[in-house]
Amino acid sequence: MLWMLLAYIAVLLLLASLHISLALWLIFISFILVIRNKRKIKGYIGEQRVHRILQKLGKEYKVFHDVYVRKKDGKMTQLDHVVVSKYGIFVLETKNYKGWIFGEEEERDWTQVIYKNRQSFYNPILQNRAHVRSLQHVLHMESGIYSIIIFSDVVTFKFNEPFATAQVIQTAQLTKTISHYKTVVFSDEQVKVMMTEISKISNVNKMKKLKTKREHRAQFKQFQQPQRKVATKRCPQCGQQLMLKSGKYGEFYGCAGYPTCCYTKKCNEKTASSR
């Protein structure tokens, strides 16, 4: 990545010396592309930092990146990082966000708050739970696989209670979190078998992997579309949109302004209540 950036800068300098207007036009186009792909770039940066940390874990751990797994229903799901060891298998989902993060374990959407700006995103615990289940299906195993959600170090967690099915941490806590698992759950032979199976999934040719990525992106977009269509009702207290969410007692409508506005409404309820 760094050498590509340096090469690009060198090309710009060369063009500037030959044709200044062409260089300025190229800079403008590059700026537009960066703005449009800002989220992807930030996600890539976050994944690369996690990648570097995982490489320092030691010989007891085998690390896989960008692993695509076919689920029971035949659809594809993408795992950011998978770490295999005799202490367990760790499925890592990275989120390179900043600001305050609000959410509950079984809630469909979490909220990112940066000053007065609020943005909802799919609950990464639920997202990574699907990844874990897919890997369990591929490896034919039920236990010994752990879910870890990694946010950047600049976030502030605003969770009401700890989570039972996943660990939600900052990047700086990653090494300590994985090292905390010291109980041996797999034999050396089991580790070898699992590494072989995951290697088969990871070591696909480039064209096949590109096709798989396109398939996964299409499925993810299709999955998120219904959520946008549902959010057509307005909160009677603050006027923001009502989002369809899932909780302990089923689905309900919640205000997009949460946590500032805590208005909720049951899906089939004519009169709403505030929690």
Side-chain angles (χ1 to χ4, degrees):
M1 189 70 177
L2 180 59
W3 71 267
M4 292 178 65
L5 178 61
L6 294 174
Y8 180 73
I9 294 174
V11 171
L12 284 179
L13 292 175
L14 179 61
L15 285 174
S17 64
L18 299 175
H19 202 298
I20 187 64
S21 60
L22 180 60
L24 291 175
W25 178 249
L26 186 58
I27 292 173
F28 174 75
I29 295 297
S30 301
F31 177 76
I32 297 298
L33 291 174
V34 168
I35 294 298
R36 288 187 175 182
N37 295 278
K38 183 178 179 180
R39 180 171 294 181
K40 291 182 180 179
I41 294 172
K42 288 174 63 179
Y44 175 81
I45 292 172
E47 288 186 16
Q48 287 302 303
R49 185 182 177 194
V50 171
H51 183 116
R52 290 192 296 270
I53 293 173
L54 293 176
Q55 296 304 318
K56 299 177 182 179
L57 283 176
K59 295 181 180 180
E60 290 185 305
Y61 302 89
K62 174 64 177 177
V63 182
F64 299 89
H65 306 281
D66 198 24
V67 179
Y68 284 77
V69 179
R70 194 169 294 278
K71 300 186 289 185
K72 284 185 179 181
D73 59 7
K75 296 180 180 180
M76 300 301 299
T77 187
Q78 185 253 347
L79 286 61
D80 289 342
H81 313 276
V82 178
V83 180
V84 181
S85 74
K86 61 183 179 181
Y87 309 111
I89 298 177
F90 306 92
V91 180
L92 279 54
E93 175 67 24
T94 59
K95 297 295 178 185
N96 196 30
Y97 290 5
K98 60 182 179 179
W100 290 1
I101 304 297
F102 295 84
E104 298 178 8
E105 188 157 6
E106 301 301 327
E107 194 174 29
R108 187 188 188 278
D109 293 302
W110 284 12
T111 304
Q112 176 193 31
V113 179
I114 303 177
Y115 298 107
K116 294 184 178 181
N117 298 318
R118 295 175 178 83
Q119 180 177 346
S120 296
F121 61 97
Y122 185 56
N123 182 344
I125 291 181
L126 300 183
Q127 181 183 1
N128 212 36
R129 186 179 297 170
H131 297 165
V132 169
R133 288 173 180 168
S134 299
L135 196 57
Q136 287 175 330
H137 173 65
V138 170
L139 299 178
H140 307 290
M141 59 189 307
E142 295 296 329
S143 61
I145 302 183
Y146 308 109
S147 174
I148 301 177
I149 316 300
I150 310 164
F151 282 86
S152 67
D153 294 328
V154 295
V155 302
T156 300
F157 295 135
K158 295 291 183 177
F159 305 131
N160 294 324
E161 54 188 29
F163 304 119
T165 61
Q167 294 210 50
V168 182
I169 63 172
Q170 293 177 314
T171 307
Q173 301 170 304
L174 178 55
T175 301
K176 183 179 180 181
T177 300
I178 294 179
S179 300
H180 179 74
Y181 291 84
K182 284 302 180 184
T183 302
V184 175
V185 294
F186 299 124
S187 66
D188 292 339
E189 186 61 31
Q190 286 177 311
V191 171
K192 289 180 181 178
V193 172
M194 291 185 294
M195 286 172 54
T196 300
E197 290 298 318
I198 298 176
S199 294
K200 289 179 182 178
I201 301 171
S202 301
N203 296 332
V204 295
N205 62 67
K206 292 184 178 180
M207 291 302 295
K208 186 176 180 180
K209 194 163 190 176
L210 180 61
K211 181 180 178 181
T212 303
K213 283 186 176 182
R214 289 173 179 169
E215 180 183 346
H216 174 258
R217 287 170 184 167
Q219 290 168 0
F220 189 73
K221 287 181 180 179
Q222 185 179 10
F223 169 77
Q224 286 201 324
Q225 275 182 348
Q227 181 67 10
R228 298 193 189 103
K229 292 179 181 178
V230 169
T232 55
K233 300 181 180 181
R234 294 287 176 177
C235 173
Q237 292 185 1
C238 69
Q240 297 196 56
Q241 290 181 332
L242 293 180
M243 312 291 290
L244 182 63
K245 301 182 178 183
S246 297
K248 293 182 180 179
Y249 305 105
E251 293 187 333
F252 65 94
Y253 291 105
C255 180
Y258 178 84
T260 301
C261 178
C262 297
Y263 178 87
T264 63
K265 175 183 178 182
K266 293 181 180 179
C267 288
N268 298 321
E269 188 180 47
K270 291 183 180 180
T271 60
S273 61
S274 181
R275 59 175 183 175

